[in-house]
Amino acid sequence: MERLTGLDASFLYLETDTQLLHVCAMLILDPAAEGVSYEHEAFKAELGRRLHLIPAMTRRLHSVPLNLDHPVWVRDSNFDLDYHIRRLALPSGAGDAGLAELAADIAGRPLDRSKPLWEMWVIEGLPYGKVAVVSKYHHAIVDGITGTNMMMHLCDMQPGVSYTPPALEIGTDEPEPNDLQLAGEALLKLPGRLGMVGMVPKTVGILGGLVQRRRENGSRGMALPFTAPRTPFNRAITPHRAISFVQTELSDIKEIKTAFGVKVNDVVLAVVGGALRSYLELHDELPETSLVASVPVSTHETSRHEEGTNKVSTIFARLYTDIENPVARMQAIAEDNRGAKEEHHLIGADFLQDWAQYAPPNTFQLAARAYSSLKLAEHHPVVHNLVVSNVPGPNFPMYFLGVRVASMYPFGPVFHGAGLTATVISNNGHLDFGFIACRELVPDVGAIADAVPEVITELLKAAREKA
């Protein structure tokens, strides 16, 4: 039995019928790449042989009585692999558009909290014998780094590897927790929640330090929340999702990075900003001021907290969508990011985790439901326009349950007030972009993915001219 941390549990409390807080990944597998045969039952059996390597995939939630404290994880004594693995066929001739529509439908379905919080949908019938696997994991059990690590347990560096079945049957070695004991422990911890009071002066001190730094140094840094302009996707969201994706060459991104002396993440943000500028211009909705992205930052290496899955902070970054020149846009982003890293260090890696540990479950859940049902996101300044996440992936060929991974498209959650998320992952010499949005707010999300290669081509041309 293991208790969720405040930050892990917050993804449960903030979830509503429309704000679904699971993350998805779509792998395109190519059995023909190594001459490996694909057969669904063998594929599923291989997954079953590896589940003991990933405890999160066989644990379910157990709530504390009256929600007096965060839930705990327990082994699911009724674990059923057949429930978690779903099998579909892509209609003939559907293509990438049909695959995106199917993946969006999967992403728009909530996970059953009475079972381990993941699903895996295997989609057969892709051209050239390829297979798509759409995985869903609740954010309470993964963040960018832990999600990648979980994926590595299901992957190998050579094709056709088969594991030995575990000696212990899944779900048979852990008793159910005692609810009376859980409630008693929660009551004893209630005075500790007064520690939230101490976070207030700490937060005020951090903000004062940021203001003083900018006054003394005159330096640029991260954008401030609630300063983003409103766009068509900055409204309350529905549960319906739309998805698009595109694969690019990592070598192009690195060539741009080297030519202009910036970081890969600077180039990624510039590409997303350029694609959004094109999209908003297409709809005659381009704001005069820059869009602001919330950019998750992993704190696994710097956090003092050992417990929990999610170890993440965030940086608010201007995408400079108000700058037409792609190189000037990227250089402005790079300058901001240099200052933002210093400011992020000043704030501290554990700022979000420290606040979240005091989150009262019932209050948090009621507030989230009220915020959703009253569409409050449409009645206050925009916090940020979208989430942009850049996750490091493998730089060598990977084989998922024995089959070659050709592409890996990640899709994070979308939020009220920010109905679009862009997630990027490097994969064996490629950079795979995944876009997910509220369908009603961004019905043509494919246009954003379509613009990505055009922006990269512009930057690459400028890089080669500079050389």
Side-chain angles (χ1 to χ4, degrees), residues 5 21 46-47 90 105 117 139 146 168 183 190 241 254 264 266 292 297 330 332 368 378 390 426 451 460:
T5 64
L21 295 184
E46 182 60 32
L47 175 61
L90 186 68
D105 182 64
L117 294 177
H139 219 318
T146 54
L168 184 64
L190 284 179
R241 299 292 175 261
K254 289 183 174 180
V264 167
D266 300 328
V292 174
V297 177
M330 181 177 63
E378 301 179 4
N390 183 14
S426 53
L460 196 58

Side-chain angles (χ1 to χ4, degrees), residues 1 3 62-65 68-69 72 175-189:
M1 184 180 73
R3 188 175 305 281
H62 184 94
S63 297
V64 175
L68 292 173
D69 201 351
V72 296
E176 287 289 306
N178 184 299
D179 283 343
L180 187 61
Q181 181 180 349
L182 289 175
E185 291 173 351
L187 290 172
L188 289 174
K189 290 168 61 178

Side-chain angles (χ1 to χ4, degrees), residues 34 137 170 203 447 458:
E34 307 289 341
Y137 299 94
I170 290 173
T203 302
E458 283 184 313

Side-chain angles (χ1 to χ4, degrees), residues 227-267:
T227 63
R230 192 170 294 278
T231 74
F233 44 83
N234 298 128
R235 294 164 45 198
I237 60 175
T238 74
H240 311 128
R241 299 292 175 261
I243 273 176
S244 65
F245 49 89
V246 63
Q247 185 170 75
T248 65
E249 297 300 319
L250 183 58
S251 59
D252 291 344
I253 303 297
K254 289 183 174 180
E255 185 176 345
I256 296 166
K257 168 191 84 78
T258 302
F260 293 103
V262 298
K263 305 291 186 183
V264 167
N265 196 52
D266 300 328
V267 183

